[in-house]
Amino acid sequence: MRLSELQVGDKAEVTGLNVDAAIRRRIMDMGLIKGTRFKVLRVAPLGDPMEIFFKGLYLTMRKSEADGIMVERSGGVGDGMPMHTGARRRYGFGGGR
Amino acid sequence: MTTSKELSIALTGNPNCGKSSLFNVLTGAHQKVGNFPGVTIEKYEGYLDYRGYRIKVVDLPGTYSLTPYSPEEIVTRKYLIEHRPDVVVNVIEGPNIERSLLLTTQLMEMEVDFLVALNMMDEVEERGMKINTRQLQKLLGCHIVPTSAKKRTGLESLLDHVIRVGTGDITIQKNKLFFRSGLEEPINEISELLAAERELAAYNSRWLAIKLLESDREVYREIQRQPAWVKAEVVMQAALKDARRLYGSDPEELISEDRHSFIRGAMKECVELPKEKRTSLTDYIDMVVLNRVLGLPVFLFVVWAVFHFTFTLGAPVMEWLSSLFSMLAVAGGRYLPDGMVRSILLDGVLAGVGGVLVFLPNIVLLFIGLSFLEASGYMARAAFVIDRVMHRFGLHGKSFIPMITGFGCSIPAIMATRTLKSRTDRLATIMIIPFMSCGAKLPVYVLLCGAFFAPSMAANILFGIYLLGIAVGLWTAWILKSTVLSSDSEPFVMELPPYRWPTLGSVVFQAKVKALMYVKKAGTLILAAVVIIWVASNYPRSAVIEADLQRSRAAVEADAGLGAAEKEDRLSALEQSAQSEQLAHSLAGRAGMLMEPVIRPLGFDWRIGIALVTGLAAKEVVVSTMATIYSLSSDTDTGDLQATLRSDPAFNRATALSLMVFVLLYLPCVAALGVMKKEVGRWKPVLLYSAYSLAVAWVLSFIAYRGALLFL
Ligand SMILES: Nc1nc2c(ncn2[C@@H]2O[C@H](COP(=O)(O)OP(=O)(O)OP(=O)(O)O)[C@@H](O)[C@H]2O)c(=O)[nH]1
Ligand SMILES: [Mg+2]
């Protein structure tokens, strides 16, 4: 699934970056790499740039950039799934922080 | 390095982490600070004396990594490599520590002498974050000093550490960040190959090897010229293949992932986030400000509010100043003896310089409004809201930030376009900035709006003028991008900072600086222009007109059939018409007459023509020239230009509108043209642009004039 296909409120995890080399570098520099979990916060009033939130950072990007970011959707609004940004703990029970 | 007691330090860090704020509190400088990424676009130097050391501090543009992306980021890397400051201070945005540490890992790779200033500690505490600096120090191998540029804490400790690192009292541990197998081996191999190259001795070879695998273009070019490249290339190709085979990716991505996993580990060990997640104030504000329905209205309202604020709040003070100058003019008229000195003081200096100084309150308010937009954090949001529109016209959401700056002054705005990566986007943005009406044009609008329109209308007309400028700018961009400057547009990936309250002190200070600058400009450039205008509109004098005047005057005096009052009237009428004839005969008059055929269709006479030409020196001069010329041609020394204009038969609402449109759109001032040339690199585009702006100004003023004649 592509980031641009997510709905507002969706939570997801990045699985791959299929974008231009230069823009991929910028996206990675921002900390959006494989395995990063984020939440789609909103779409701009005119429908184009979208805003996502991860690791305490509010990042905006155009849909054309979001098109190249492959993601796996992990939850929607208010489903209680944590948008944890640490190491993956999907299969962990308790333990760790 | 210890022999002379001098030290140089450079401030590096992510955009918006508070480098310039720190620079300001350290050196007492007043670099521009704003709450959006990309405020600083050039390096700035400052000095401070501390414990017997003279420390040179360099403020650099923010950068997310040491492989630069946009022109201003290149400055930073170049500085670090070429100038080699004694100590690099890596400023980290405390609340955003995870993202900030990426740059730190790259400084570790470069093995420069650096230390970390963990800035914005006040916000860290406020959010309930806990950062274990001691542990983090161990992991990074460098010293970490908590600071807050806002609260001015940790500064002494920072300087103490700078001195200790600079003098070698404490050494950097040079911790290495190891990469996964499949990367680490080729990095080592290449690094050994490069270490043998004498020409590369200045660089850290491991850093070069990593950059090479990250396919950094500049490093690549440098190394390709070395003999070692033959062997290095073989290793590199193998590494590329391995990365694909083992991890299904390329070294660049793997290196980035490894850095991030190092950081993630460090975060887990050293940073404790608050237990419960609170919705922050920023979240609440953005729910409204970036709302799908409200976002655009809020945006329009904010821009409108700034101009309304400028005009409405400024008006009473302006009235007051204006009546002060009128009183001066009346007093001067009564006590100064007739003659040249009186005329140069009253018609020249007082009318011209005073005419400009009257608008001081408006200018200050405009800059306060703009600095509020910049400091609050709304700027980046505006770019987000408006990106779609900008994109339609071939521009970038980020182009919007220089455009707003352009409402203050075109010069910093043109320079601010350096944050745009794509050259065509940048050129297009530079070309439209002069259409964003700058603060120097404001006096012209306020003068004309105030003279010809009711106060309730005036603010809206003012807003309309600014909107027209934006519309023409967008239209120009669209033409440029769909013809000469077509290219792929630049990607839009931008961070939104949290909202921050502008501190009262900085707002007041900014206002003071702008006010002083304006007064200084009035006292120097504008004063000089006024004197030149005065001379040009008084000389040469025609002896024929003078003789005529004497003759008719004698005739009136001798006429026994006239009463005393009637005589007085006739004489002053004669005086007045001779004055006008002299003005038309003068150098300025004759030059203006030459222009008149061209500007006549716009409703302008030769006097306005002269004002427009002199306005190229600085736009306020349009007002002061008009003040001088109109004051010379009228003998009522009231000093009130608005009243004079209203009573002038050649001037009406249509002329006023037409003149505002023309001033909005025609050539920018000489200084701005110079900066344009500097940023673009060639004269040709600038000259083409000049011709274009004149043509657009003429056509739209013509439409405005004819339209107003029909409808008003
Ligand atoms: N609360 C708080 N805010 C700070 C501190 N230091 C800076 N700021 C704010 O952070 C914002 C960015 O500050 P700047 O100094 O312009 O940041 P910069 O690193 O120079 O940014 P660029 O020039 O864009 O790279 C401004 O709104 C400052 O007021 C601090 O210690 N505490
Ligand atoms: Mg700065």
Side-chain angles (χ1 to χ4, degrees):
Chain A
M1 197 175 192
R2 296 161 191 280
L3 201 163
S4 53
E5 291 162 2
L6 293 175
Q7 300 294 312
V8 172
D10 280 355
K11 293 161 195 164
E13 181 177 317
V14 178
T15 56
L17 301 173
N18 299 338
V19 286
D20 245 28
I23 187 65
R24 186 181 73 165
R25 163 157 294 286
R26 168 60 44 123
I27 289 174
M28 291 193 305
D29 285 348
M30 293 289 191
L32 199 60
I33 54 165
K34 245 184 246 174
T36 308
R37 294 195 182 183
F38 62 89
K39 179 179 169 182
V40 180
L41 280 188
R42 59 173 63 84
V43 174
L46 294 171
D48 197 359
M50 51 199 297
E51 183 185 359
I52 63 173
F53 177 78
F54 62 96
K55 299 180 186 169
L57 185 81
Y58 300 87
L59 193 70
T60 59
M61 63 178 88
R62 280 198 193 131
K63 292 227 158 123
S64 53
E65 270 79 63
D67 250 351
I69 301 179
M70 310 315 278
V71 298
E72 189 183 309
R73 187 172 173 279
S74 63
V77 198
D79 57 4
M81 287 284 291
M83 196 202 72
H84 198 270
T85 54
R88 304 183 197 191
R89 333 177 288 163
R90 257 181 295 179
Y91 310 112
F93 291 92
R97 256 192 296 164
Chain B
M1 242 170 281
T2 39
T3 46
S4 70
K5 292 195 123 194
E6 285 192 3
L7 273 179
S8 62
I9 67 176
L11 302 176
T12 59
N14 290 166
N16 212 40
C17 67
K19 296 175 297 301
S20 302
S21 307
L22 218 69
F23 178 79
N24 287 350
V25 292
L26 285 178
T27 64
H30 299 292
Q31 275 311 311
K32 185 164 171 185
V33 165
N35 191 16
F36 59 92
V39 179
T40 309
I41 33 123
E42 257 184 328
K43 69 178 166 74
Y44 287 98
E45 294 177 359
Y47 290 87
L48 79 133
D49 294 304
Y50 186 75
R51 293 190 199 243
Y53 284 88
R54 184 147 184 80
I55 305 179
K56 174 168 121 177
V57 189
V58 181
D59 183 22
L60 293 168
T63 178
Y64 288 108
S65 88
L66 284 177
T67 300
Y69 181 81
S70 51
E72 100 276 11
E73 292 186 352
I74 294 172
V75 174
T76 300
R77 162 154 139 185
K78 249 187 133 159
Y79 188 85
L80 292 187
I81 292 177
E82 286 171 11
H83 292 259
R84 312 229 154 207
D86 297 333
V87 184
V88 175
V89 176
N90 178 203
V91 184
I92 281 187
E93 186 181 343
N96 238 329
I97 182 166
E98 179 158 3
R99 206 261 331 276
S100 311
L101 282 175
L102 182 73
L103 186 66
T104 315
T105 60
Q106 300 190 21
L107 288 173
M108 284 163 67
E109 285 159 10
M110 262 179 113
E111 296 201 348
V112 289
D113 286 339
F114 77 105
L115 58 87
V116 167
L118 189 57
N119 196 30
M120 302 201 189
M121 278 311 279
D122 54 318
E123 279 190 19
V124 169
E125 277 155 27
E126 204 176 293
R127 289 185 194 196
M129 279 171 76
K130 289 208 177 62
I131 302 177
N132 182 345
T133 48
R134 188 160 304 159
Q135 182 61 18
L136 196 55
Q137 248 167 217
K138 268 197 212 130
L139 289 174
L140 300 178
C142 70
H143 280 258
I144 299 176
V145 186
T147 60
S148 163
K150 187 179 169 194
K151 299 264 191 280
R152 295 175 180 247
T153 55
L155 303 176
E156 294 214 338
S157 167
L158 178 66
L159 289 175
D160 286 337
H161 279 84
V162 162
I163 290 176
R164 288 178 61 199
V165 173
T167 54
D169 187 17
I170 35 179
T171 46
I172 307 298
Q173 303 244 299
K174 314 242 150 116
N175 279 11
K176 277 203 180 67
L177 196 155
F178 291 105
F179 295 95
R180 65 183 85 188
S181 85
L183 281 178
E184 192 58 34
E185 301 87 2
I187 288 176
N188 283 332
E189 271 179 65
I190 296 176
S191 150
E192 268 164 40
L193 287 171
L194 299 181
E197 289 292 343
R198 293 248 307 289
E199 266 189 54
L200 297 176
Y203 304 98
N204 178 298
S205 57
R206 184 179 166 86
W207 180 73
L208 285 178
I210 295 171
K211 284 289 157 209
L212 193 64
L213 284 175
E214 276 190 293
S215 35
D216 180 296
R217 214 176 300 148
E218 270 177 60
V219 169
Y220 188 81
R221 222 178 286 143
E222 185 71 26
I223 292 178
Q224 232 175 356
R225 294 194 276 123
Q226 311 297 336
W229 171 242
V230 188
K231 282 186 188 159
E233 194 189 9
V234 180
V235 183
M236 209 176 108
Q237 293 304 341
L240 283 175
K241 239 180 251 150
D242 279 353
R244 190 127 319 282
R245 185 170 54 85
L246 291 170
Y247 305 105
S249 184
D250 53 286
E252 188 185 352
E253 189 171 4
L254 296 178
I255 288 176
S256 174
E257 280 176 14
D258 284 356
R259 284 194 192 122
H260 279 105
S261 49
F262 168 79
I263 294 168
R264 203 179 303 149
M267 291 290 293
K268 271 194 112 179
E269 265 184 68
C270 313
V271 179
E272 201 179 312
L273 295 172
K275 285 271 165 353
E276 67 207 271
K277 260 188 269 167
R278 277 177 299 164
T279 314
S280 65
L281 186 62
T282 296
D283 291 324
Y284 283 120
I285 298 178
D286 276 346
M287 277 175 203
V288 179
V289 165
L290 300 183
N291 183 286
R292 279 223 69 162
V293 183
L294 295 177
L296 268 184
V298 167
F299 167 77
L300 288 175
F301 173 77
V302 167
V303 180
W304 176 84
V306 168
F307 295 118
H308 208 75
F309 168 78
T310 301
F311 192 82
T312 321
L313 234 59
V317 194
M318 192 192 95
E319 300 269 291
W320 184 81
L321 273 178
S322 163
S323 52
L324 183 80
F325 282 117
S326 296
M327 267 159 53
L328 272 179
V330 171
R334 195 167 303 150
Y335 299 115
L336 285 174
D338 246 344
M340 194 176 125
V341 173
R342 169 184 156 138
S343 172
I344 204 167
L345 281 180
L346 291 186
D347 301 328
V349 176
L350 191 64
V353 177
V356 168
L357 277 182
V358 165
F359 301 102
L360 182 64
N362 302 92
I363 299 288
V364 169
L365 286 170
L366 175 70
F367 278 101
I368 289 181
L370 291 181
S371 77
F372 186 82
L373 287 189
E374 288 174 348
S376 63
Y378 186 70
M379 215 56 149
R381 268 123 189 132
F384 173 69
V385 168
I386 209 73
D387 178 65
R388 184 70 193 270
V389 178
M390 302 292 276
H391 198 43
R392 258 294 145 69
F393 290 95
L395 287 169
H396 193 268
K398 266 203 271 175
S399 308
F400 190 73
I401 295 175
M403 279 165 71
I404 288 268
T405 313
F407 288 134
C409 174
S410 297
I411 291 170
I414 291 170
M415 286 165 51
T417 58
R418 289 187 200 166
T419 54
L420 294 169
K421 177 174 175 284
S422 128
R423 191 171 156 72
T424 53
D425 276 1
R426 205 174 148 221
L427 263 178
T429 311
I430 289 178
M431 292 299 167
I432 69 167
I433 279 174
F435 292 126
M436 303 305 120
S437 189
C438 74
K441 295 176 186 171
L442 188 65
V444 182
Y445 310 142
V446 178
L447 170 77
L448 295 171
C449 281
F452 291 97
F453 299 94
S456 54
M457 273 277 274
N460 292 334
I461 289 187
L462 193 67
F463 187 52
I465 286 286
Y466 279 92
L467 285 186
L468 178 68
I470 297 177
V472 172
L474 290 180
W475 186 65
T476 307
W478 182 77
I479 294 182
L480 281 173
K481 291 290 278 192
S482 50
T483 54
V484 280
L485 293 181
S486 65
S487 76
D488 293 345
S489 56
E490 176 178 344
F492 181 93
V493 175
M494 187 185 64
E495 166 191 12
L496 299 185
Y499 288 100
R500 295 196 167 99
W501 268 111
T503 54
L504 188 67
S506 75
V507 172
V508 169
F509 180 81
Q510 280 297 322
K512 207 175 81 187
V513 169
K514 293 294 183 238
L516 278 178
M517 262 170 62
Y518 191 72
V519 172
K520 203 173 138 201
K521 197 172 175 188
T524 52
L525 182 70
I526 294 176
L527 179 64
V530 157
V531 171
I532 292 173
I533 292 297
W534 185 88
V535 171
S537 30
N538 273 292
Y539 297 97
R541 295 189 82 83
S542 153
V544 182
I545 299 174
E546 191 66 22
D548 264 355
L549 175 66
Q550 297 304 350
R551 215 171 307 122
S552 347
R553 193 186 263 161
V556 173
E557 301 270 9
D559 194 338
L562 288 174
E566 214 170 330
K567 249 184 203 170
E568 190 77 352
D569 277 355
R570 289 257 182 113
L571 281 179
S572 89
L574 278 175
E575 194 95 26
Q576 173 82 36
S577 78
Q579 180 82 306
S580 302
E581 279 174 49
Q582 286 287 15
L583 194 52
H585 178 78
S586 72
L587 199 61
R590 281 187 259 176
M593 299 294 181
L594 276 181
M595 291 167 57
E596 221 181 72
V598 187
I599 52 175
R600 189 79 261 175
L602 312 179
F604 305 159
D605 65 5
W606 63 270
R607 292 178 291 192
I608 298 179
I610 289 292
L612 289 173
V613 173
T614 53
L616 291 182
K619 289 296 154 75
E620 299 95 335
V621 176
V622 173
V623 171
S624 52
T625 303
M626 279 170 63
T628 300
I629 295 187
Y630 279 90
S631 164
L632 278 175
S633 57
S634 81
D635 69 342
T636 46
D637 278 328
T638 59
D640 184 353
L641 184 55
Q642 290 192 338
T644 314
L645 288 182
R646 255 194 308 266
S647 63
D648 192 299
F651 228 105
N652 53 34
R653 282 186 163 194
T655 328
L657 268 185
S658 163
L659 181 55
M660 283 194 272
V661 172
F662 198 85
V663 167
L664 167 73
L665 301 173
Y666 89 118
L667 296 175
C669 68
V670 186
L673 282 173
V675 171
M676 268 175 116
K677 149 74 178 50
K678 193 166 150 249
E679 296 292 313
V680 173
R682 289 173 305 142
W683 272 114
K684 198 175 141 206
V686 179
L687 292 178
L688 281 176
Y689 167 77
S690 305
Y692 168 80
S693 75
L694 275 177
V696 171
W698 198 92
V699 171
L700 289 183
S701 294
F702 183 77
I703 294 173
Y705 184 58
R706 296 294 146 181
L709 280 185
L710 283 181
F711 295 111
L712 287 180

